[in-house]
Amino acid sequence: MSLLQVKDIHTYYGDSHALQGVSLQLQAGETVCLLGRNGAGKSTTLRSIMGLTPPRRGQVLFDNQRISGLPAWRIARLGLGLVPEDRRIFRGLTVRENLQISAYRRPGSTRTWTLERIFDEYPMLAELANQDGATLSGGQQQMLAVARSLMSQPRLLLLDEPNEGLAPVIVQQIGALLDTLAQTTTILFTDQSVHFALRHAQRAYILEKGRVVHQAESRDLAGDTETQQRYLSV
Ligand code: ATP
């Protein structure tokens, strides 16, 4: 059964028609990538799902419940977590405080991600616990941003370009983190490069000019250089 259904959504910035009928679906347990060049509409799709830039037309269903039209904070409380492209680490708060401030347990759910567990599984964050979040490197901030979203026990994690601006060695660590999370959480992430996507997602959708122009299993897309060149190469 689909955990997330995005049905023909149209999203605008003022008069600018950014998403022109985007549809996609995620089954519970899947890891799916949204690919596309700069400005294709990847961030807007995640923001539309999350209710930050609500679609004017179309529907978003989460666990068969309509969430489009709800305010973002209510969507978050239903179990969706967004890690935005700019990470939004709270300046002036320590790593520990950044994590604590996001702790939330949905009624009826047993809390699985606690501060202790995060520090246990990501010792790097434990070592940085008392540092101001703003002083962290880009890679450390990305780890913190993902860990922070886990503190709200998401059933669906939305990650906007988790690798942006990061060195290859850090990208590898983010990939490993994604693989671990994928064992227990459903994930939709965006990327501009096909390589990371093919390694860490089972399926991919390709966006261009606010429309889904292609969808494929990762293993099929890997060998489809024509599609890659057409929609993804710069
Ligand atoms: P990127 O990799 O650059 O983040 P993207 O695929 O995530 O690209 P979006 O950021 O979703 O693309 O942008 C989709 C379209 O909406 C683009 O044409 C972009 O210029 C426009 N857009 C995005 N944010 C805004 C905004 N705040 N105001 C006006 N237009 C916007």
Side-chain angles (χ1 to χ4, degrees):
M1 196 186 68
S2 292
L3 182 65
L4 178 77
Q5 291 171 270
V6 175
K7 295 182 172 176
D8 195 28
I9 57 168
H10 291 252
T11 302
Y12 293 74
Y13 294 101
D15 290 336
S16 163
H17 195 173
L19 296 189
Q20 308 188 6
V22 168
S23 298
L24 54 89
Q25 295 196 11
L26 261 80
Q27 307 294 314
E30 273 192 308
T31 299
V32 173
C33 183
L34 210 52
L35 286 162
R37 293 190 181 101
N38 250 335
K42 304 180 296 296
S43 303
T44 307
T45 301
L46 298 191
R47 291 177 54 82
S48 299
I49 294 168
M50 204 64 209
L52 294 167
T53 314
R56 280 197 208 157
R57 273 161 50 202
Q59 289 191 5
V60 182
L61 305 183
F62 180 65
D63 216 1
N64 282 328
Q65 178 185 349
R66 184 175 173 159
I67 59 169
S68 38
L70 296 178
W73 66 269
R74 283 200 51 200
I75 294 177
R77 295 218 154 168
L78 289 171
L80 285 89
L82 171 68
V83 180
E85 205 170 352
D86 60 6
R87 298 164 196 146
R88 300 277 167 96
I89 299 305
F90 301 119
R91 188 174 286 277
L93 297 190
T94 64
V95 166
R96 177 184 283 105
E97 288 164 344
N98 262 279
L99 292 166
Q100 282 169 332
I101 207 165
S102 306
Y104 174 72
R105 189 172 67 82
R106 273 189 314 283
S109 82
T110 46
R111 181 177 296 202
T112 50
W113 289 101
T114 58
L115 197 60
E116 292 69 32
R117 181 168 167 209
I118 298 256
F119 283 163
D120 205 37
E121 297 205 13
Y122 308 108
M124 183 197 80
L125 292 177
E127 282 166 30
L128 297 167
N130 297 318
Q131 273 199 41
D132 185 323
T135 65
L136 269 47
S137 70
Q140 291 168 337
Q141 287 200 5
Q142 185 62 48
M143 296 287 283
L144 175 57
V146 175
R148 191 178 58 184
S149 75
L150 296 177
M151 291 294 284
S152 63
Q153 324 302 325
R155 297 167 63 202
L156 172 63
L157 201 52
L158 307 171
L159 301 167
D160 200 0
E161 296 206 29
N163 298 318
E164 209 192 4
L166 302 182
V169 58
I170 312 288
V171 170
Q172 262 183 21
Q173 290 174 18
I174 300 290
L177 171 62
L178 222 64
D179 291 346
T180 311
L181 296 179
Q183 292 169 16
T184 50
T185 312
T186 309
I187 301 175
L188 178 62
F189 69 94
T190 72
D191 207 334
Q192 290 192 27
S193 136
V194 75
H195 307 289
F196 183 86
L198 297 184
R199 204 166 302 133
H200 300 286
Q202 288 127 33
R203 290 192 295 123
Y205 290 90
I206 302 180
L207 285 179
E208 189 177 66
K209 295 185 181 144
R211 293 194 171 94
V212 174
V213 287
H214 192 82
Q215 53 175 304
E217 300 280 322
S218 293
R219 58 174 173 269
D220 296 330
L221 189 56
D224 187 353
T225 45
E226 193 186 320
T227 298
Q228 290 184 30
Q229 274 172 4
R230 187 160 170 202
Y231 298 120
L232 301 170
S233 62
V234 276

